[in-house]
Amino acid sequence: MTSAMEQRRPVPTDGEAILNALPNPVLLVAPDGRIVDANIAAEAFFEISTQFLRRQSLKELVPFGSPLLALIEQVRASGSPVNEYKVDLGTPRIGGDRHVDLHVAPLTERPGHIVVMLQERTIADKMDRQLTHRSAARSVIALAAMLAHEIKNPLSGIRGAAQLLEQQASSEDRLLTRLICDEADRIVTLVDRMEVFGDERPVARGPVNIHSVLDHVKRLAQSGFARNVRFIEDYDPSLPPVLANQDQLIQVFLNLVKNAAEAVADLGADAEIQLTTAFRPGVRLSVPGKKSRVSLPLEFCVKDNGSGVPEDLLPNLFDPFVTTKQTGSGLGLALVAKIIGDHGGIIECESQPRKTTFRVLMPMYSAAKQHDQSNRDDVPGTPSPASQDAR
């Protein structure tokens, strides 16, 4: 019978420890295509232990005709490293859609041996898309300021003139003057909503219990637009507070839950919205105005079992004026993206029929950092993180 000591993984050398600490899968491939060694991240990516990986040839793990195999031969022939981006290594066993960046280099100490590092695109793509969403939302600021001045003032004159005409108009003409007033009011309402994008004032933030926010949003939804929808809660009760403005978070999740309720409105008794919270360490984001990268370990999700978001809309879903609703203005999700971006977080949507997820990643509250921020705020000319985030 094998003892527990024999079953335990051997103590790694310094080199192995460093390799295993890397979050990216790394493989060492022999001249005959066999896998000589792999780190722990590679075990997780291919869903197989290093012991079994060493029994495999690389071509048995990747799709038939994969560009990775040709890259390895190219590196072996040239002796120079090569990078390739957005290569699909998905297989039925590990998943059908696994896009990675490939970094392939020769191991000079062992002729013919090749080091392969994989970098999954999922998080990187989300970061890039979120920064694009944030820029798109901020690009509306100048337009909103222009609309407030150039459109609202003339509209008030048009509405006033229509009201004067209504006093002397016939019953049939009154319908037209009333239409003018109603449309003027509708445009003013739209402009008012856009003016929110131009508000760059620092927002007071502090420790917020996300579960209190979600419970408040759920009560509002169940008493109104989502009274016939079944809510499922999957919370991590040990989650630390999030650094945020509570009123703005309520606005964000009320918008997301309302969208989810509209997506499942035609499902009747099967309509379902799931609210989840979790701690996901490892995600870090570079925030404009800050030298250090911000950790975003807090994950909050709003999921629904509706028909999903059309695939062609997903890349631009958080851009202004993009909407799936026939009567929507396309500003709700853009405002959500702006608020989350101003908080130093990101929001992303993953959608397929009967499973749509809006995922929010945000920084957690740190009393030490808040104390340090307060000290900086007291020094004249020192910008605070809140004002930097709002740029």
Side-chain angles (χ1 to χ4, degrees):
M1 183 174 178
T2 306
S3 67
M5 183 64 72
E6 291 172 338
Q7 290 178 350
R8 193 174 302 162
R9 183 189 293 269
V11 177
T13 63
D14 288 345
E16 291 173 334
I18 293 172
L19 198 63
N20 286 330
L22 292 175
N24 300 322
V26 178
L27 301 171
L28 178 61
V29 182
D32 60 359
R34 284 186 308 103
I35 295 174
V36 178
D37 207 352
N39 66 349
I40 292 177
E43 293 181 343
F45 182 87
F46 291 103
E47 299 179 1
I48 188 172
S49 69
T50 300
Q51 180 181 357
F52 285 98
L53 279 172
R54 288 172 178 157
R55 302 177 188 173
Q56 304 285 324
S57 173
L58 183 61
K59 65 182 179 181
E60 296 174 332
L61 295 176
V62 299
F64 177 77
S66 172
L68 175 55
L69 302 176
L71 279 178
I72 289 176
E73 293 305 319
Q74 178 183 340
V75 171
R76 190 172 281 129
S78 66
S80 302
V82 173
N83 299 329
E84 186 74 24
Y85 300 95
K86 287 194 175 182
V87 175
D88 188 4
L89 291 187
T91 63
R93 185 170 59 81
I94 65 173
D97 188 14
R98 301 293 293 273
H99 288 89
V100 300
D101 294 341
L102 298 174
H103 308 276
V104 185
L107 187 63
T108 54
E109 292 80 5
R110 299 177 68 174
H113 287 69
I114 303 296
V115 176
V116 178
M117 185 175 78
L118 316 176
Q119 183 173 8
E120 287 202 77
R121 293 288 309 176
T122 309
I123 293 298
D125 283 342
K126 287 181 180 179
M127 296 295 189
D128 291 341
R129 286 201 299 270
Q130 181 58 31
L131 293 177
T132 301
H133 301 329
R134 189 177 302 174
S135 298
R138 295 183 192 283
S139 70
V140 186
I141 292 174
L143 177 61
M146 181 274 292
L147 285 173
H149 180 72
E150 301 294 338
I151 294 182
K152 289 177 70 175
N153 291 340
L155 276 177
S156 63
I158 293 172
R159 194 182 193 286
Q163 288 177 322
L164 290 175
L165 290 174
E166 187 177 7
Q167 295 175 4
Q168 300 176 354
S170 64
S171 58
E172 292 181 359
D173 290 340
R174 282 197 186 106
L175 293 176
L176 296 178
T177 57
R178 176 46 47 192
L179 177 63
I180 293 173
C181 292
D182 291 344
E183 287 301 296
D185 291 341
R186 186 177 66 83
I187 295 173
V188 169
T189 300
L190 178 62
V191 173
D192 286 341
R193 292 188 65 188
M194 291 189 62
E195 282 189 292
V196 177
F197 290 95
D199 187 358
E200 295 188 272
R201 293 171 297 178
V203 177
R205 298 175 197 159
V208 175
N209 185 328
I210 189 61
H211 299 131
S212 297
V213 169
L214 294 178
D215 287 342
H216 180 71
V217 168
K218 188 184 76 167
R219 285 196 301 271
L220 289 175
Q222 288 180 322
S223 63
F225 57 82
R227 62 170 56 90
N228 297 320
V229 178
R230 183 165 70 100
F231 278 80
I232 299 175
E233 297 166 324
D234 184 8
Y235 295 162
D236 179 352
S238 64
L239 216 60
V242 58
L243 176 59
N245 177 276
Q246 181 162 319
D247 291 340
Q248 289 196 343
L249 278 194
I250 290 174
Q251 184 178 3
V252 163
F253 287 100
L254 193 59
N255 192 307
L256 295 178
V257 170
K258 188 174 187 296
N259 285 350
E262 292 172 352
V264 300
D266 60 340
L267 296 181
D270 294 330
E272 182 179 292
I273 295 176
Q274 185 175 9
L275 306 175
T276 71
T277 65
F279 192 83
R280 307 289 187 201
V283 180
R284 301 175 69 84
L285 178 67
S286 295
V287 178
K290 293 187 178 182
K291 295 181 180 180
S292 60
R293 306 183 79 188
V294 177
S295 179
L296 307 175
L298 304 183
E299 178 189 272
F300 318 131
C301 295
V302 177
K303 306 177 183 180
D304 68 72
N305 61 340
S307 56
V309 178
E311 188 174 350
D312 58 332
L313 286 185
L314 273 175
N316 307 107
L317 189 60
F318 297 96
D319 291 349
F321 306 114
V322 175
T323 181
T324 60
K325 307 171 188 175
Q326 292 183 352
T327 59
S329 64
L331 294 176
L333 287 178
L335 180 58
V336 165
K338 179 185 184 298
I339 292 174
I340 296 300
D342 287 346
H343 279 73
I346 62 174
I347 179 171
E348 193 51 52
C349 176
E350 298 173 358
S351 184
Q352 54 187 311
R354 302 305 172 204
K355 187 179 180 182
T356 297
T357 301
F358 282 88
R359 178 176 289 104
V360 176
L361 299 175
M362 295 189 68
M364 65 181 180
Y365 172 80
S366 170
K369 289 183 179 179
Q370 285 302 100
H371 178 71
D372 181 56
Q373 175 187 332
S374 300
N375 290 338
R376 285 198 301 269
D377 290 344
D378 292 336
V379 179
T382 303
S384 69
S387 59
Q388 290 172 343
D389 286 350
R391 289 175 192 160

